[in-house]
């Protein structure tokens, strides 16, 4: 697995390069409290469980958790945020100290520290109690002390870095830590920071900051588009009549505590109105929405997509369609739209979107995973890593933190372990069996890697194959190549094929640096392997559109993309066999078949009446591909 090993070493080098990188985190800090209880019976007064508290833990939340993640990932984190002079504030200070965060928080005697208390039984969250949300904004004295702390912290980090400009992370969850004067100061002093990351509940409040990267949730990205359509004025009230499409509207009283959800369903007052659940919660229609010809239409009241046009398209498709607009409205170099359990869509100046995937977990496991994502993304970009690398490390950091209940924190050691060997300490082999492929792919997914899958006979390996496989590998982090068995090749291409037995074919493929895993399959079609692997990208060879690939509906149903890569002219197995035969037995041997020889011998090609054989990577299934057959390209 030379290709994967080299990739892991490259990513690990990036993680090492960001050690001690100075990062100033500013924003809404809070305390997360987790209360673990047991319940064995119901109370008499109501159908409610009787809980017995067994364990209580506290953790930094919000901007404080982002600072903790920066520190545990190896950066030098300094936090500036208002914190109440109360018990919760004292516990938050302890959390910061344990993580090694430079605590430069500003004490606010008259403002409580925000706390989010979760009560669990059997790892199931039964309720969440929020307290300490400030009812009053920071007074003039509090704003002045916060601005002084920001100036001093910036110079402190610059001095610690030998004069280099520090990195800035802004975490604005609408709890009052970043009033207008503070936002104005940060915009005016943008030049003092080399890299700026922004995670804001309302991105429109930060116009002019021109951050390096913004990481909105899907709901936050949608809100920005709606406000942009309204001219960034006061968000208008949702339209209640006149819409027959699906309406995506941010709930008016959505809690300002970080990434939120969209209410998605038939627009209120529209035809076939769907029931809407509790405010701030997704309705059953959220999973898939319809999309107009241009993606979606943004109105002053929100984002509306026509329910009667086109096939269902998921949130990733909608986010991808609006990446350029999100970059324009935020002024950011990079936009990463996070999709919780569905991963993220990331786009930069090159206009090429990148999709990362996540493993679905219970909600109690994912609290704070966005903070780990933001911290790793920021550190990677500050270390001048490429955008694909930063996106992969950010998704990996978020993914490996969600294994248990609690506030997510990613440690540098955990990230490096995920980039190294498998849990048993041995690297996965390149040549694998169908029975072990599931577990291997699952390991890679847990490490945040996207999987590219292709299949073919690869009978006589030639430069066309190599170019094709290199292009396929560039579409993701891992390339799995499925190879038709000898019997499968004979059924598909005739009794004179394959020229080389499967043992030779897979040995040559495994030696290519762009190939991570090779597996042999016996069937004529790879559909069973596709269902097992669930590839992020499925690649076929040919000059026809992806819609004509027989496996396309299955791949898309499983959440993947389909790509077709064009042929390399004059490079095909059949052409090579013809040239060998012409040089060894004369021209006549290329026209007729005289004997029925064993499959491992080179025999004559098909007669003129037979359909042309497809190139190995492109058509190794029993399905017809009319466009490819009519292309007239060499076989």
């Amino acid at each position: 697995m030379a290709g994967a090993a080299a990739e892991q070493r490259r990513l690990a080098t990036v993680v090492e390069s960001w050690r001690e990188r100075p990062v100033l985190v500013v924003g809404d800090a809070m305390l997360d409290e987790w209360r673990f209880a047991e319940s064995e019976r119901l109370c008499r007064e109501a159908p409610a469980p009787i809980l017995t508290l067994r364990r209580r833990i506290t953790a930094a939340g919000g901007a404080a958790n982002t600072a903790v993640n920066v520190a545990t990932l190896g950066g030098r984190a300094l936090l500036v945020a208002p914190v109440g002079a109360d018990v919760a504030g004292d516990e938050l200070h302890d959390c910061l100290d344990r993580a090694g965060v430079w605590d430069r928080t500003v004490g606010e005697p008259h403002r409580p520290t925000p706390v989010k208390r979760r009560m669990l039984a059997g790892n199931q969250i039964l309720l969440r109690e929020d307290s300490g949300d400030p009812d009053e904004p920071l007074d003039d004295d509090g704003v002045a002390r916060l601005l002084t702390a920001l100036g001093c912290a910036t110079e402190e980090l610059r001095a610690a870095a030998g004069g280099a400009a520090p990195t800035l992370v802004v975490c604005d969850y609408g709890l009052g830590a970043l009033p207008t004067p503070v936002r104005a100061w940060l915009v005016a002093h943008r030049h003092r920071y080399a890299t700026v990351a922004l995670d804001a509940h309302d991105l429109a409040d930060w116009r002019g900051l021109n951050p390096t990267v913004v990481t909105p949730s899907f709901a936050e990205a949608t809100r920005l588009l709606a406000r942009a359509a309204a001219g960034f004025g006061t968000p208008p009230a949702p339209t209640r009549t006149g819409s027959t499409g699906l309406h995506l509207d941010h709930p008016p009283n959505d809690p300002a505590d970080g990434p939120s959800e969209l209410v998605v369903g038939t627009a209120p007052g529209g035809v076939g109105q769907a029931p809407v659940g509790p405010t701030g919660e997704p309705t059953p229609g959220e999973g898939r929405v319809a999309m107009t010809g241009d993606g979606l239409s943004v109105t002053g009241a929100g984002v509306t997509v026509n329910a009667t046009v086109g096939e269902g398209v998921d949130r990733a498709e909608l986010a991808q369609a609006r990446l350029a607009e999100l970059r324009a409205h935020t002024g950011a170099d990079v936009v990463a739209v996070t999709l919780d359990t569905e991963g993220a869509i990331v786009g930069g100046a090159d206009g090429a979107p990148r999709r990362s995937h996540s493993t679905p977990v219970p909600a109690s496991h994912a609290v704070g995973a966005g903070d780990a994502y933001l911290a790793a993304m920021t550190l990677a970009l500050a270390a001048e890593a490429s955008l694909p690398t930063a996106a992969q490390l950010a998704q990996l950091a978020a993914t490996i933190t969600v294994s248990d209940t609690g506030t997510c924190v990613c440690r540098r050691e955990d990230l490096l372990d995920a980039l190294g060997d498998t849990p048993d300490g041995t690297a996965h082999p390149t040549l694998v069996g169908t029975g072990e492929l599931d577990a291997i792919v699952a390991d890679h997914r847990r490490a945040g890697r996207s999987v590219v899958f292709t299949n073919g006979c690869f009978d006589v390996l030639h430069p066309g194959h190599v170019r094709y496989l290199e292009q396929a590998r560039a579409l993701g982090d891992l390339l799995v190549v499925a190879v038709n068995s000898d019997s499968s090749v004979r059924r598909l291409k005739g009794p004179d094929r394959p020229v080389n037995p499967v043992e030779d074919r897979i040995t040559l493929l495994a030696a290519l640096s762009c190939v991570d895993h090779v597996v042999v399959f016996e069937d004529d079609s790879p559909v069973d392997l596709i269902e097992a692997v669930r590839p992020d990208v499925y690649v076929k060879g040919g000059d026809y559109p992806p819609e004509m690939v027989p496996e396309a509906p299955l791949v898309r149903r499983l959440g993947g993309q389909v790509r077709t890569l064009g042929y390399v002219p004059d490079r095909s197995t059949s052409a090579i066999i013809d040239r060998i035969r012409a040089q060894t037995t004369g021209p006549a041997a290329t026209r007729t078949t005289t004997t029925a020889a064993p499959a491992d011998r080179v025999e004559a090609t098909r007669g003129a009446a037979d359909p042309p054989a497809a190139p190995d990577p492109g058509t190794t299934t029993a399905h017809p591909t009319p466009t490819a057959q009519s292309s007239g390209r060499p076989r």
Side-chain angles (χ1 to χ4, degrees):
M1 199 171 68
E7 177 73 1
Q8 291 167 0
R9 287 192 297 270
R10 186 181 66 80
L11 293 174
T13 300
V14 175
V15 176
E16 293 291 352
S17 71
W18 72 43
R19 292 196 68 178
E20 299 302 316
R21 190 164 294 271
V23 180
L24 168 60
V25 181
V26 57
D28 294 299
M30 61 191 74
L31 182 73
D32 280 348
E33 180 179 320
W34 298 82
R35 299 189 175 198
F36 297 89
E38 293 180 357
S39 176
E40 297 180 351
R41 55 198 176 96
L42 298 177
C43 70
R44 295 181 178 179
E45 300 90 284
I50 296 175
L51 303 178
T52 302
L53 184 64
R54 297 301 184 190
R55 183 164 58 103
R56 173 185 177 273
I57 61 174
T58 56
N65 189 46
T66 299
V68 167
N69 274 276
V70 169
T72 57
L73 282 168
R76 179 176 294 166
L78 185 154
L79 175 66
V80 173
V83 174
D86 49 21
V87 174
D90 292 340
E91 292 190 88
L92 180 55
H93 292 309
D94 291 341
C95 293
L96 297 173
D97 290 342
R98 288 195 299 269
V101 175
W102 292 10
D103 186 353
R104 303 296 184 267
T105 54
V106 177
E108 291 291 332
H110 306 297
R111 285 168 54 90
T113 302
V115 181
K116 302 194 180 305
R117 299 180 179 88
R118 297 169 178 86
M119 179 68 77
L120 301 91
N123 282 338
Q124 172 65 49
I125 296 179
L126 301 181
L127 59 90
R128 194 184 88 180
E129 175 195 11
D130 292 0
S131 65
D133 290 355
D135 296 323
E136 300 293 332
L138 284 172
D139 57 24
D140 291 343
D141 177 64
V143 170
R145 288 187 293 116
L146 196 58
L147 292 176
T148 299
L150 281 173
C152 292
T154 301
E155 293 307 312
E156 183 179 5
L157 285 176
R158 180 185 291 274
T167 294
L168 173 67
V169 179
V170 179
C171 302
D172 181 12
Y173 302 138
L175 299 182
L178 297 165
T180 300
V182 176
R183 295 199 301 271
W185 188 96
L186 291 170
V187 170
H189 292 80
R190 167 65 176 84
H191 62 280
R192 301 175 68 177
Y193 308 99
T195 302
V196 175
L198 173 63
D199 181 18
H201 202 56
D202 196 337
L203 290 166
D205 289 342
W206 290 93
R207 298 179 69 222
L209 181 64
N210 296 325
T212 308
V213 57
V214 293
T215 59
S217 67
F218 182 68
E220 291 160 353
T222 302
R223 174 192 289 176
L224 178 67
L225 294 173
R227 291 197 63 182
F232 291 105
T234 302
T239 301
R240 293 298 174 185
T241 61
S243 173
T244 59
L246 291 178
H247 184 75
L248 285 67
D249 178 40
H250 194 85
N253 60 340
D254 181 61
D257 62 353
S260 57
E261 294 291 344
L262 277 181
V263 170
V264 182
T266 304
V271 177
Q273 180 169 342
V276 177
T279 301
E281 296 298 325
T283 66
E286 180 171 354
R288 301 188 69 83
V289 295
M291 188 171 171
T292 61
D294 68 344
L296 75 164
S297 57
V298 184
T299 68
V303 180
T304 304
V305 291
N306 193 327
T308 64
V309 177
E311 296 292 329
V313 178
D314 61 19
R315 295 187 302 168
E317 298 258 2
L318 293 174
Q320 181 173 320
R322 288 300 185 262
L323 280 177
E325 292 174 53
L326 291 170
R327 289 186 63 247
H329 292 315
T330 60
D333 298 328
V334 175
V335 173
V337 181
T338 57
L339 306 170
D340 41 81
T341 59
E342 297 176 52
I345 293 289
V346 183
D350 60 1
R354 178 181 177 85
R355 173 75 185 273
S356 61
H357 294 264
S358 181
T359 303
V361 295
S364 61
H365 290 195
V367 175
D371 302 330
Y373 184 97
L374 174 64
M377 172 70 80
T378 302
L379 286 168
L381 293 176
E384 299 182 349
S386 66
L387 180 54
T389 295
Q392 183 176 352
L393 288 171
Q395 188 63 65
L396 176 57
T399 300
I400 64 178
T401 63
V402 296
S403 60
D404 201 357
T405 298
T407 303
C408 295
V409 174
C410 183
R411 301 183 308 153
R412 172 178 163 274
E413 295 79 7
D414 296 333
L415 191 56
L416 290 174
D417 286 346
L419 291 171
D421 293 340
T422 52
D424 62 0
T426 60
H428 290 307
T430 304
L431 300 176
V432 299
T434 55
E436 56 188 326
L437 188 60
D438 292 9
I440 291 173
V441 170
D443 280 345
H444 288 301
R445 282 250 163 72
R446 281 191 291 271
R449 303 183 188 108
S450 58
V451 179
V452 181
F453 180 94
T454 190
N455 59 278
C457 299
F458 301 98
D459 192 0
V460 178
L461 199 62
H462 54 72
H465 288 138
V466 176
R467 176 82 61 84
Y468 169 85
L469 293 172
E470 288 175 342
Q471 292 175 342
R473 178 62 169 77
L475 298 175
D477 305 316
L478 183 85
L479 177 60
V480 176
V481 180
V483 181
N484 293 77
S485 67
D486 290 346
S487 59
S488 176
V489 174
R490 281 193 289 272
R491 289 193 300 271
L492 292 169
K493 294 185 176 291
D496 58 341
R497 300 281 296 276
V499 171
N500 293 306
V502 70
E503 293 81 6
D504 293 352
R505 291 185 280 132
I506 63 176
T507 298
L508 290 174
L509 287 169
L512 297 176
S513 61
C514 58
V515 175
D516 296 293
H517 296 298
V518 180
V519 62
V520 178
F521 67 101
E522 295 289 341
D523 298 328
D524 295 345
S525 170
V527 293
D528 289 342
L529 280 177
I530 290 173
E531 289 187 338
V533 173
R534 303 175 70 89
D536 301 300
V537 183
Y538 177 59
V539 181
K540 294 283 278 186
D543 56 1
Y544 43 86
E547 290 72 20
M548 292 194 66
V549 175
E551 296 83 4
L554 171 62
V555 173
R556 293 194 176 105
R557 179 171 61 80
L558 297 173
Q561 303 176 23
V562 178
R563 296 287 297 274
T564 56
L565 302 178
Y567 304 140
V568 177
D570 301 321
R571 296 291 187 271
S572 74
T573 298
S574 298
I576 292 173
I577 293 174
D578 287 347
R579 287 200 300 269
I580 294 173
R581 182 175 293 110
Q583 294 175 10
T584 58
T585 62
T590 66
R591 293 191 298 269
T592 59
T593 301
T594 57
T595 59
D600 60 351
R601 291 181 54 194
V602 178
E603 291 295 344
T605 57
R606 292 179 174 83
D610 293 323
D616 289 337
T619 52
T620 57
T621 70
H623 305 287
T625 52
T627 305
Q629 290 182 5
S630 62
S631 67
R633 291 184 179 266
R635 301 295 181 177

